[in-house]
C-alpha cells in the first residue's frame, strides 16, 4: 500500500463506542453515599457540567472499546480492514503492559498490514495520535490509518476521592484517515511541559509483580484549570495561524471534554460564540484520550459537522501535554 508522498491527509469516517451502562449523577451520588462519600448532583453539575458518564463493566477492555469504535469508523468511511496499513491508538489505560493496545485492536479487527502502536499523552492523546498519523501518511510510508482514542479510566480512579471520581468515564472514538491530494488536516502542533507533571498524574508502577507507588489518578484541579485555559487559547491561535485561517472562519471548536468551564473559557478567549462549541462532557464525562473523537463523531452523526467545514480539535492533559489539529472535513 505505501506509495508516493501525499500533500495532505483527510478524515473520511468517524466512529465511537460506549459501555452499556450510563451512570447518572444521582445514581453515582447514591453509590458514593453508601461508602461514606458525600457529594451531590448540583455540586457536580455546577463545577463540571457533567450529568452522566459511561462505566465499563467487568471484562470490557480498552482494546474492545477501541475495536468497536474502529468498526463504526470503517463503516462510515465505507472501507475495509484490508485497506488499513497503520493503527495509532491513544490511551493511558492499556489492558496490558505490552503488547500495545493498538496491536490488540489490530488482531481483533484482522488487520495484517503495516504498523500498530500506542501513543501515551493522557487527555491530549488523540490529538497527538492524529498528528503522528497525519505526518506518516504525508511521507507516503502509509496510505490509510485508523486513529483511535480508547480509555477505561474508571479503573484507575480512587472512589474515595470525590474531586476526581465524579469526573471521568469510559469510551472510545476513532477516525479513518487517508492520504490525499485534497486538503484535510491543515495544521497541527503538539506541545509538552514535563516540569508540570505533578499537577495531573497516576504515579504508580508495577515492580517485581507488585504495585509500587500510588496507582490512582491524582489531580490539582485549580492548577490544571489555569494551565488548560492558557495553553488551549495559545495553541488554538498558533494552529489557526499555521493553517492560514482566521478565528471567525472556524465552524466548530472541539476541545478536550474535561470541564464545561474550561470549554466555555477557551471559546470566550478566542471570541467564538458558544454555538460553535461542541459539548459532550455532560453526557460522557471526561474520557481522556477518547473525549475528542467521541465529540467529533457525535457532532458528525447529529448533522452538526458537515463536509467542507473547519474544525479545531484540541487536547490538554497530564504530562503536562497539549496540542491542536485544524481539520477541513
Amino acid at each position: 500500500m505505501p506509495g508516493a508522498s501525499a500533500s495532505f491527509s483527510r478524515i473520511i469516517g468517524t466512529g465511537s463506542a460506549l459501555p452499556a451502562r450510563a451512570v447518572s449523577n444521582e445514581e453515582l451520588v447514591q453509590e458514593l453515599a453508601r461508602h461514606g462519600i458525600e457529594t451531590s448532583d448540583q455540586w457536580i453539575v455546577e463545577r463540571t457540567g457533567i450529568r452522566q458518564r459511561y462505566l465499563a463493566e467487568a471484562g470490557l477492555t480498552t482494546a474492545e472499546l477501541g475495536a468497536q469504535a474502529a468498526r463504526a469508523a470503517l463503516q462510515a468511511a465505507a472501507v475495509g480492514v484490508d485497506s488499513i496499513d497503520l493503527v495509532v491508538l491513544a490511551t493511558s489505560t492499556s489492558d496490558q503492559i505490552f503488547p500495545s493496545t493498538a496491536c490488540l485492536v489490530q488482531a481483533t479487527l484482522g488487520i495484517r498490514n503495516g504498523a500498530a502502536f500506542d501513543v501515551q499523552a493522557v487527555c491530549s492523546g488523540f490529538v497527538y495520535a492524529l498528528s503522528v498519523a497525519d505526518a506518516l501518511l504525508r511521507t507516503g510510508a502509509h496510505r490509510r490509518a485508523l486513529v483511535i482514542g480508547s480509555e477505561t479510566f474508571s479503573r484507575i480512579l480512587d472512589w474515595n476521592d470525590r474531586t476526581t471520581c465524579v469526573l471521568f468515564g469510559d469510551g472510545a472514538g476513532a477516525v479513518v484517515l487517508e492520504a490525499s491530494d485534497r486538503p484535510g488536516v491543515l495544521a497541527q502542533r503538539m506541545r509538552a511541559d514535563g516540569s508540570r507533571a505533578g499537577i495531573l498524574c497516576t504515579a504508580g508502577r508495577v515492580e517485581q509483580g507488585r504495585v509500587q507507588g500510588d496507582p490512582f489518578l491524582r489531580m490539582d484541579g485549580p492548577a490544571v484549570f489555569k494551565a488548560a485555559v492558557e495553553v488551549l487559547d495559545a495553541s488554538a491561535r498558533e494552529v489557526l495561524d499555521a493553517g492560514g485561517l482566521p478565528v471567525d472562519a472556524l465552524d466548530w471548536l472541539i476541545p478536550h471534554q474535561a470541564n464545561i468551564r474550561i470549554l466555555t473559557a477557551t471559546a470566550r478567549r478566542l471570541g467564538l460564540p458558544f454555538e460553535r462549541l461542541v459539548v459532550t462532557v455532560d453526557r460522557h464525562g471526561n474520557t481522556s484520550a477518547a473525549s475528542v473523537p467521541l465529540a467529533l463523531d457525535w457532532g458528525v452523526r447529529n448533522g452538526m459537522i458537515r463536509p467542507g467545514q473547519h474544525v479545531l480539535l484540541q487536547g490538554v492533559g497530564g504530562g503536562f501535554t497539549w496540542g491542536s489539529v485544524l481539520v477541513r472535513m
Side-chain angles (χ1 to χ4, degrees), residues 141-226:
H142 301 275
R143 300 300 299 169
R144 187 173 286 158
L146 274 170
V147 185
I148 305 165
S150 186
E151 301 280 16
T152 50
F153 243 61
S154 62
R155 291 169 183 160
I156 60 170
L157 298 179
D158 179 354
W159 292 96
N160 292 308
D161 178 5
R162 75 164 185 166
T163 65
T164 58
C165 72
V166 301
L167 303 179
F168 294 89
D170 304 326
V175 303
V176 177
L177 189 72
E178 73 171 10
S180 176
D181 291 328
R182 297 169 54 207
V185 175
L186 302 179
Q188 50 89 355
R189 293 291 186 275
M190 298 179 287
R191 297 285 184 262
D193 178 3
S195 69
R196 290 189 276 186
I199 67 175
L200 178 56
C201 63
T202 300
R205 66 189 185 280
V206 175
E207 185 176 309
Q208 300 297 312
R210 297 181 179 179
V211 175
Q212 302 292 327
D214 188 347
F216 295 119
L217 179 147
R218 303 299 179 193
M219 181 174 67
D220 179 342
V224 169
F225 178 88
K226 180 180 179 181

Side-chain angles (χ1 to χ4, degrees), residues 54-87:
Y54 290 79
L55 300 180
E57 61 270 25
L60 179 60
T61 65
T62 299
E64 180 54 35
L65 279 169
Q68 290 176 20
R71 289 190 188 100
L74 288 165
Q75 183 177 27
V79 299
V81 294
D82 291 344
S83 71
I84 301 297
D85 64 348
L86 178 64
V87 180

Side-chain angles (χ1 to χ4, degrees), residues 9-312:
S9 72
R10 290 185 60 83
I11 293 173
I12 62 169
T14 68
S16 57
L18 293 163
R21 184 188 177 203
V23 179
S24 67
N25 286 347
E26 290 84 356
E27 184 179 353
L28 184 62
V29 166
Q30 292 173 10
E31 179 64 26
L32 292 174
R34 285 193 282 270
H35 294 86
I37 309 301
E38 293 186 5
T39 188
S40 68
D41 172 64
Q42 181 179 4
W43 188 90
I44 297 169
V45 172
E46 288 180 353
R47 286 161 178 78
T48 70
I50 297 168
R51 297 184 181 276
Q52 67 169 34
R53 75 286 295 141
Y54 290 79
L55 300 180
E57 61 270 25
L60 179 60
T61 65
T62 299
E64 180 54 35
L65 279 169
Q68 290 176 20
R71 289 190 188 100
L74 288 165
Q75 183 177 27
V79 299
V81 294
D82 291 344
S83 71
I84 301 297
D85 64 348
L86 178 64
V87 180
V88 186
L89 187 145
T91 189
S92 297
T93 52
S94 299
D95 299 316
Q96 303 176 20
I97 294 176
F98 66 83
S100 69
T101 305
C103 282
L104 300 178
V105 169
Q106 186 196 47
T108 298
L109 296 178
I111 297 170
R112 297 290 182 264
N113 300 314
F117 58 89
D118 287 356
V119 170
Q120 214 281 43
V122 199
C123 304
S124 304
F126 181 79
V127 167
Y128 268 50
L130 188 61
S131 299
V132 170
D134 168 62
L136 287 171
L137 264 59
R138 289 184 188 227
T139 69
H142 301 275
R143 300 300 299 169
R144 187 173 286 158
L146 274 170
V147 185
I148 305 165
S150 186
E151 301 280 16
T152 50
F153 243 61
S154 62
R155 291 169 183 160
I156 60 170
L157 298 179
D158 179 354
W159 292 96
N160 292 308
D161 178 5
R162 75 164 185 166
T163 65
T164 58
C165 72
V166 301
L167 303 179
F168 294 89
D170 304 326
V175 303
V176 177
L177 189 72
E178 73 171 10
S180 176
D181 291 328
R182 297 169 54 207
V185 175
L186 302 179
Q188 50 89 355
R189 293 291 186 275
M190 298 179 287
R191 297 285 184 262
D193 178 3
S195 69
R196 290 189 276 186
I199 67 175
L200 178 56
C201 63
T202 300
R205 66 189 185 280
V206 175
E207 185 176 309
Q208 300 297 312
R210 297 181 179 179
V211 175
Q212 302 292 327
D214 188 347
F216 295 119
L217 179 147
R218 303 299 179 193
M219 181 174 67
D220 179 342
V224 169
F225 178 88
K226 180 180 179 181
V229 173
E230 290 176 355
V231 301
L232 287 174
D233 176 48
S235 179
R237 296 180 188 280
E238 180 183 19
V239 170
L240 286 167
D241 184 62
L245 196 73
V247 172
D248 60 7
L250 193 62
D251 294 292
W252 297 103
L253 174 65
I254 307 181
H256 167 51
Q257 305 286 308
N259 181 307
I260 190 64
R261 294 183 298 154
I262 293 175
L263 272 68
T264 55
T266 301
R268 189 183 310 114
R269 283 194 173 206
L270 290 171
L272 280 175
F274 184 80
E275 292 74 21
R276 295 195 210 176
L277 187 65
V278 177
V279 177
T280 59
V281 68
D282 56 330
R283 67 199 69 218
H284 298 153
N286 181 344
T287 55
S288 191
S291 83
V292 170
L294 272 170
L296 174 64
D297 185 55
W298 185 85
V300 168
R301 292 177 186 269
N302 281 279
M304 298 163 56
I305 300 172
R306 301 186 298 275
Q309 291 186 328
H310 292 102
V311 180
L312 185 63

